mmCIF file of all heavy atoms in Angstrom:
data_model
loop_
_atom_site.group_PDB
_atom_site.id
_atom_site.type_symbol
_atom_site.label_atom_id
_atom_site.label_comp_id
_atom_site.label_asym_id
_atom_site.label_seq_id
_atom_site.Cartn_x
_atom_site.Cartn_y
_atom_site.Cartn_z
ATOM 1 N N MET Z 63 11.426 46.604 -246.552
ATOM 2 C CA MET Z 63 11.155 47.616 -247.577
ATOM 3 C C MET Z 63 12.269 47.680 -248.594
ATOM 4 O O MET Z 63 12.039 47.927 -249.795
ATOM 5 C CB MET Z 63 10.964 48.978 -246.902
ATOM 6 C CG MET Z 63 9.725 49.106 -246.062
ATOM 7 S SD MET Z 63 9.598 50.688 -245.190
ATOM 8 C CE MET Z 63 9.389 51.825 -246.564
ATOM 9 N N MET Z 64 13.496 47.433 -248.143
ATOM 10 C CA MET Z 64 14.634 47.436 -249.076
ATOM 11 C C MET Z 64 14.513 46.262 -250.059
ATOM 12 O O MET Z 64 14.804 46.390 -251.255
ATOM 13 C CB MET Z 64 15.945 47.327 -248.304
ATOM 14 C CG MET Z 64 16.266 48.608 -247.497
ATOM 15 S SD MET Z 64 17.559 48.380 -246.250
ATOM 16 C CE MET Z 64 18.981 48.094 -247.284
ATOM 17 N N ILE Z 65 14.071 45.096 -249.556
ATOM 18 C CA ILE Z 65 13.859 43.942 -250.427
ATOM 19 C C ILE Z 65 12.754 44.259 -251.438
ATOM 20 O O ILE Z 65 12.890 43.991 -252.632
ATOM 21 C CB ILE Z 65 13.488 42.713 -249.580
ATOM 22 C CG1 ILE Z 65 14.611 42.325 -248.613
ATOM 23 C CG2 ILE Z 65 13.108 41.522 -250.471
ATOM 24 C CD1 ILE Z 65 14.217 41.282 -247.586
ATOM 25 N N MET Z 66 11.678 44.834 -250.938
ATOM 26 C CA MET Z 66 10.569 45.212 -251.830
ATOM 27 C C MET Z 66 10.998 46.258 -252.845
ATOM 28 O O MET Z 66 10.557 46.234 -254.005
ATOM 29 C CB MET Z 66 9.399 45.773 -250.991
ATOM 30 C CG MET Z 66 8.175 46.144 -251.794
ATOM 31 S SD MET Z 66 7.336 44.733 -252.557
ATOM 32 C CE MET Z 66 6.474 44.095 -251.137
ATOM 33 N N ALA Z 67 11.880 47.158 -252.442
ATOM 34 C CA ALA Z 67 12.357 48.229 -253.345
ATOM 35 C C ALA Z 67 13.032 47.618 -254.584
ATOM 36 O O ALA Z 67 12.818 48.070 -255.709
ATOM 37 C CB ALA Z 67 13.308 49.145 -252.611
ATOM 38 N N VAL Z 68 13.883 46.649 -254.357
ATOM 39 C CA VAL Z 68 14.586 45.995 -255.456
ATOM 40 C C VAL Z 68 13.604 45.297 -256.379
ATOM 41 O O VAL Z 68 13.648 45.401 -257.623
ATOM 42 C CB VAL Z 68 15.652 44.995 -254.930
ATOM 43 C CG1 VAL Z 68 16.219 44.170 -256.062
ATOM 44 C CG2 VAL Z 68 16.740 45.740 -254.203
ATOM 45 N N ALA Z 69 12.663 44.547 -255.787
ATOM 46 C CA ALA Z 69 11.662 43.827 -256.552
ATOM 47 C C ALA Z 69 10.799 44.781 -257.381
ATOM 48 O O ALA Z 69 10.493 44.492 -258.566
ATOM 49 C CB ALA Z 69 10.781 42.985 -255.614
ATOM 50 N N GLN Z 70 10.372 45.890 -256.766
ATOM 51 C CA GLN Z 70 9.541 46.848 -257.492
ATOM 52 C C GLN Z 70 10.309 47.562 -258.575
ATOM 53 O O GLN Z 70 9.733 47.875 -259.637
ATOM 54 C CB GLN Z 70 8.979 47.892 -256.503
ATOM 55 C CG GLN Z 70 7.958 47.331 -255.511
ATOM 56 C CD GLN Z 70 6.570 47.138 -256.118
ATOM 57 O OE1 GLN Z 70 6.437 46.877 -257.305
ATOM 58 N NE2 GLN Z 70 5.566 47.257 -255.309
ATOM 59 N N MET Z 71 11.560 47.817 -258.371
ATOM 60 C CA MET Z 71 12.376 48.476 -259.390
ATOM 61 C C MET Z 71 12.370 47.673 -260.683
ATOM 62 O O MET Z 71 12.089 48.175 -261.769
ATOM 63 C CB MET Z 71 13.813 48.683 -258.922
ATOM 64 C CG MET Z 71 14.750 49.275 -259.992
ATOM 65 S SD MET Z 71 16.417 49.607 -259.378
ATOM 66 C CE MET Z 71 17.023 47.930 -259.066
ATOM 67 N N ILE Z 72 12.682 46.374 -260.575
ATOM 68 C CA ILE Z 72 12.713 45.510 -261.753
ATOM 69 C C ILE Z 72 11.314 45.280 -262.266
ATOM 70 O O ILE Z 72 11.065 45.378 -263.492
ATOM 71 C CB ILE Z 72 13.394 44.164 -261.422
ATOM 72 C CG1 ILE Z 72 14.823 44.387 -260.904
ATOM 73 C CG2 ILE Z 72 13.404 43.260 -262.653
ATOM 74 C CD1 ILE Z 72 15.742 45.096 -261.875
ATOM 75 N N GLY Z 73 10.380 45.005 -261.368
ATOM 76 C CA GLY Z 73 9.016 44.670 -261.806
ATOM 77 C C GLY Z 73 8.301 45.814 -262.484
ATOM 78 O O GLY Z 73 7.729 45.640 -263.563
ATOM 79 N N ILE Z 74 8.336 46.998 -261.895
ATOM 80 C CA ILE Z 74 7.638 48.148 -262.487
ATOM 81 C C ILE Z 74 8.373 48.627 -263.737
ATOM 82 O O ILE Z 74 7.746 48.985 -264.723
ATOM 83 C CB ILE Z 74 7.506 49.280 -261.446
ATOM 84 C CG1 ILE Z 74 6.490 48.852 -260.368
ATOM 85 C CG2 ILE Z 74 7.074 50.585 -262.100
ATOM 86 C CD1 ILE Z 74 6.309 49.846 -259.253
#
Side-chain angles (χ1 to χ4, degrees):
M63 292 175 67
M64 291 165 68
I65 298 170
M66 182 67 78
V68 172
Q70 291 282 31
M71 176 176 67
I72 302 299
I74 290 178

